[in-house]
Amino acid sequence: MLKTSLFLVGLLASTSAYAQDAAERDHASAPDVAASVAKTDDSAIVVSATRTPIEIDRVAASVTVLDKDSIDRSQDIGVTELLLRTPGVSIARNGGYGTSTSLRIRGAESEQTVVVIDGIKLNDPSSTGGGYNFANLLTGDAARIEVLRGPQSILWGSQAIGGVVNIVTPLPDGPLEGSFDIEAGSRETVSARVAIGGKTGPLSFRLGGQAFTTDGISAIAPAFGGVEPDGYTNRSVSGRAVLEIAPGVSADLRGYFADGRVDIDAFNADSPEYSLNREFVGYAGINFDLLGGRFRNRAGYGYTNTDRENYNPARARAITFDAAGRNRRFEYQGSFAVARGWDLMIGAENEKSRFRSVSPAASLAMPIPAPAQGRAEITSFYGQLSGDLIEGLTLTGGVRNDDHSRYGSKTLFAAGGVYRAPWGTILRANYGEGFKAPSLFQLFSEYGNIALAPEQARGWEAGAEQQLMDGAVSVGATYFERDTTNQIAFNSCTTTSADPRCFVPGSTTTRRSGFYYNVSKAYAQGIEARASLRPVKNLLIDGNFTWAEAIDRTPGAATFNRFLARRPRHTANGSINYTFDQGGSIGAAVRWSGEAFDNAANTTRFAPYTLVDLRGDVPITSQLRIFARVENVFDEQYSTAFRYNSLGRSFYAGFRGRF
């Protein structure tokens, strides 16, 4: 009965955890996606994933903003678990913590989502789709997380077909600030995080670090013979520093490094294999204001470096895979206050990517083959104008041109509007286009296909929100559609296939296990519904429901009108939280995921499942509190990737401090 009751609560409402930062602007705000914004009244929310901070009720696209209180209250260790509670998001994971994790927004491919930390795009050119693996992304020192849904390529370029996940770490306001979290729980899991910073004269800085370890679960599900636990460790550090050089001029440094090790299994059995992953992200820039602050500018250089290796100690040659991806990015962005309520954003970017990967044979008698290598360059220019046409109505339009070294020039357009009625109704409509060149791995790896065409997408959405009873009740819904042409997928080859693409390019006898190809067309549509209810001051009930269909629409294909793999059509999230007058809180969260399929032919089915979590915290002092939670209370057995395991019932407890 408890399980059923919590599930019904989850269907009542929607996630409405938003940040409480706001900025009153008579002119353009800093063009820094991670800009610090001053607090005003608690009802205002500012979105920075739009590349310049803007009030949420002036954003045409669908967006969810999670503030620090929401992050702390959820007690989630990984960013993936947090994002799963927001509308339109699903994941596929090959086991427990640290294993390969694909996150999809509105049924788009995982690599069609842009991930940003403090304004720096994260992507790995050596990964299969050139996107980001969420496996190693822990909540760390995140002060806010934003999810911007739908095509966002005007501002974020290639990859932003599904949407943008923006993570912002804080900068201090006082001379000394800090925080820490320590917790432990099931499967010898321990997580510890600490951060400290301060503001002294013209210098503001903050440094944070996190260490996480767990014995884990078998990556392969027990039903397929998985027995031994596969552990995971991750250590990460992040830092930011801003130096005010002169009035209106500042220098900015940002960095992030993560080092992870995870035990992995073979496709169909336990094995001693493990994988190493190291990620480094760096940024250096200068911000300067012109025209009395009306024209705010930023110029910077960003660098990302990802190294991955897989090892199997049971082989004569232990290393099984070695890959490296590098990105170098120069960018300029300017924000000009044309008039009161009207802002013009312009920008230019140049990104150079390269990758290297090799899979050595097990036998020492066979030489290590020459690595597959590739590189690409893309130069982009963009502009976006946003303005209040009449009171309550904000219109936005933008254009972007990407010039790719392999695929030439492509121009994209976007437009949208949002209307804020005096009686609390908000109406939104948005149209956007996306363009994503094939990844270097898809082109040049052992599974590569140099005949691939770029993916292109067009999407639109329309929605409404309504607040009642002075904000005590909030409801909303959004309908969306997206058409994608030339979507890239992987095709596995049988040992008897006659398809010439199942042979190594240039050979008619040497077979390969698969290749990348363009799906002629894919179509997605859906509805995201959400609501929140605060019947009394201390009680909050919220939740969301998503219906999202992602379908193969390739004419004449055997998979025509079949659902794209690993995308549940229906998902629901809900939570109930009660805060005591003394400061403690208790809460419950429920997630339901409907039927999905593991393969393009829709012959391997994932059954629906329901997960229930319980959590609570108690203040010891104004700066220290104890917390505890139980995840997957009913020990539900489920899978998001065929043959792979998932976490069962788990207990965690710890304490956190803020000073």
Side-chain angles (χ1 to χ4, degrees):
M1 292 181 62
L2 174 62
K3 183 175 181 180
T4 302
S5 299
L6 290 172
F7 176 65
L8 291 175
V9 168
L11 295 180
L12 285 176
S14 97
T15 301
S16 60
Y18 294 123
Q20 300 302 311
D21 294 326
E24 291 291 340
R25 301 180 301 119
D26 287 336
H27 55 77
S29 295
D32 177 2
V33 72
S36 175
V37 286
K39 287 187 178 181
T40 56
D41 70 275
D42 287 342
S43 64
I45 305 157
V46 167
V47 179
S48 56
T50 53
R51 300 201 74 159
T52 183
I54 184 173
E55 293 83 356
I56 194 170
D57 61 5
R58 297 178 69 230
V59 179
S62 297
V63 61
T64 298
V65 183
L66 305 173
D67 66 2
K68 186 60 175 176
D69 288 341
S70 302
I71 296 171
D72 285 348
R73 187 167 57 246
S74 73
Q75 301 183 23
D76 290 317
I77 295 173
V79 170
T80 301
E81 286 69 35
L82 273 168
L83 297 180
L84 271 176
R85 304 183 192 277
T86 64
V89 175
S90 63
I91 70 162
R93 174 179 279 165
N94 294 356
Y97 284 117
T99 58
S100 180
T101 304
S102 299
L103 181 140
R104 297 180 172 91
I105 299 178
R106 290 182 172 176
E109 295 294 336
S110 179
E111 58 267 22
Q112 292 174 344
T113 295
V114 165
V115 183
V116 181
I117 293 183
D118 288 337
I120 312 169
K121 285 177 64 175
L122 300 183
N123 67 312
D124 176 14
S126 68
S127 67
T128 55
Y132 183 73
N133 178 8
F134 278 82
N136 294 297
L137 189 57
L138 306 180
T139 54
D141 200 29
R144 57 191 279 134
I145 300 175
E146 303 169 346
V147 184
L148 200 61
R149 295 182 287 277
Q152 307 295 331
S153 288
I154 299 301
L155 297 181
W156 291 106
S158 180
Q159 293 181 260
I161 291 174
V164 175
V165 174
N166 178 43
I167 301 168
V168 181
T169 61
L171 275 175
D173 296 319
L176 182 63
E177 298 177 6
S179 63
F180 62 87
D181 302 79
I182 300 175
E183 66 177 278
S186 299
R187 305 173 197 91
E188 303 297 323
T189 300
V190 178
S191 176
R193 185 198 66 84
V194 64
I196 192 167
K199 185 173 183 179
T200 304
L203 177 65
S204 299
F205 76 94
R206 186 173 175 98
L207 296 174
Q210 183 168 8
F212 176 84
T213 181
T214 180
D215 284 353
I217 58 175
S218 172
I220 292 293
F224 295 94
V227 177
E228 65 173 10
D230 293 306
Y232 171 60
T233 60
N234 180 284
R235 293 173 177 83
S236 63
V237 294
S238 63
R240 295 188 62 195
V242 175
L243 177 65
E244 300 291 337
I245 301 173
V249 181
S250 63
D252 195 351
L253 292 175
R254 310 170 195 169
Y256 168 79
F257 174 78
D259 186 358
R261 182 191 190 279
V262 61
D263 296 334
I264 57 177
D265 283 333
F267 175 69
N268 57 0
D270 281 334
S271 77
E273 293 183 64
Y274 62 92
S275 178
L276 304 179
N277 186 91
R278 290 174 297 279
E279 303 170 358
F280 172 76
V281 178
Y283 171 86
I286 187 167
N287 311 305
F288 56 97
D289 297 347
L290 302 173
L291 303 179
R294 290 186 60 195
F295 188 20
R296 313 190 74 173
N297 303 267
R298 174 172 62 88
Y301 169 76
Y303 176 74
T304 63
N305 184 335
T306 305
D307 288 300
R308 294 177 293 130
E309 298 102 31
N310 291 356
Y311 293 88
N312 186 348
R315 298 195 342 164
R317 177 181 282 132
I319 189 167
T320 63
F321 178 74
D322 183 13
R326 309 283 188 273
N327 256 347
R328 291 178 171 84
R329 183 183 184 89
F330 293 93
E331 57 185 20
Y332 162 79
Q333 183 180 317
S335 184
F336 179 59
V338 180
R340 183 180 178 87
W342 285 83
D343 292 329
L344 173 66
M345 190 189 310
I346 56 175
E349 301 170 346
N350 176 265
E351 182 180 282
K352 295 181 179 180
S353 304
R354 59 175 177 156
F355 100 112
R356 170 189 57 80
S357 72
V358 63
S359 299
S363 173
L364 297 177
M366 297 185 66
I368 296 177
Q373 300 185 68
R375 61 182 60 201
E377 180 177 0
I378 187 168
T379 301
S380 308
F381 298 92
Y382 63 87
Q384 178 174 281
L385 179 64
S386 178
D388 298 333
L389 192 64
I390 59 174
E391 185 176 358
L393 176 62
T394 300
L395 299 180
T396 302
V399 61
R400 182 185 185 96
N401 179 266
D402 286 335
D403 188 6
H404 194 277
S405 58
R406 187 176 183 87
Y407 295 101
S409 178
K410 178 65 177 178
T411 301
L412 306 171
F413 299 93
V418 55
Y419 176 66
R420 307 169 298 282
W423 52 86
T425 300
I426 298 178
L427 302 176
R428 285 186 168 91
N430 193 49
Y431 168 82
E433 298 178 345
F435 165 84
K436 181 181 180 298
S439 72
L440 297 177
F441 190 91
Q442 290 167 342
L443 288 170
F444 303 114
S445 73
E446 58 189 299
Y447 313 106
N449 179 1
I450 60 174
L452 288 173
E455 299 173 327
Q456 300 185 57
R458 296 179 179 180
W460 68 274
E461 63 178 280
E465 300 174 22
Q466 180 66 57
Q467 295 206 6
L468 303 168
M469 302 174 61
D470 294 326
V473 178
S474 176
V475 295
T478 299
Y479 175 80
F480 67 88
E481 288 188 8
R482 184 183 63 253
D483 282 295
T484 306
T485 56
N486 295 324
Q487 182 157 308
I488 298 173
F490 182 78
N491 182 78
S492 297
C493 294
T494 65
T495 56
T496 59
S497 174
D499 190 322
R501 293 173 295 181
C502 285
F503 295 87
V504 173
S507 171
T508 58
T509 58
T510 305
R511 291 185 172 274
R512 57 181 181 173
S513 59
F515 59 88
Y516 288 96
Y517 71 108
N518 288 110
V519 175
S520 178
K521 188 176 182 180
Y523 172 74
Q525 65 174 345
I527 294 175
E528 297 162 347
R530 56 198 180 279
S532 66
L533 171 65
R534 191 180 289 276
V536 295
K537 176 184 176 182
N538 293 20
L539 179 64
L540 175 64
I541 304 171
D542 62 16
N544 59 71
F545 174 81
T546 300
W547 164 63
E549 288 190 346
I551 302 170
D552 185 344
R553 286 289 176 85
T554 306
T559 56
F560 178 75
N561 251 9
R562 301 292 176 88
F563 297 107
L564 297 182
R566 299 182 178 180
R567 295 160 175 82
R569 280 176 290 168
H570 306 99
T571 57
N573 294 278
S575 69
I576 180 169
N577 193 80
Y578 184 83
T579 302
F580 297 96
D581 292 334
Q582 296 80 7
S585 69
I586 58 172
V590 58
R591 174 172 177 79
W592 174 77
S593 180
E595 177 186 69
F597 298 96
D598 188 70
N599 57 347
N602 291 180
T603 56
T604 303
R605 175 182 176 269
F606 295 138
Y609 62 89
T610 303
L611 304 179
V612 176
D613 303 334
L614 302 176
R615 59 176 181 260
D617 63 86
V618 178
I620 304 302
T621 69
S622 60
Q623 297 176 320
L624 180 67
R625 65 177 55 219
I626 297 174
F627 62 88
R629 69 185 181 280
V630 185
E631 296 181 352
N632 194 358
V633 172
F634 300 100
D635 201 24
E636 184 90 345
Q637 303 299 305
Y638 68 99
S639 181
T640 58
F642 184 60
R643 293 181 181 272
Y644 289 104
N645 202 2
S646 57
L647 289 168
R649 185 186 297 114
S650 306
F651 301 86
Y652 303 95
F655 55 93
R656 71 169 61 99
R658 306 285 184 262
F659 62 88

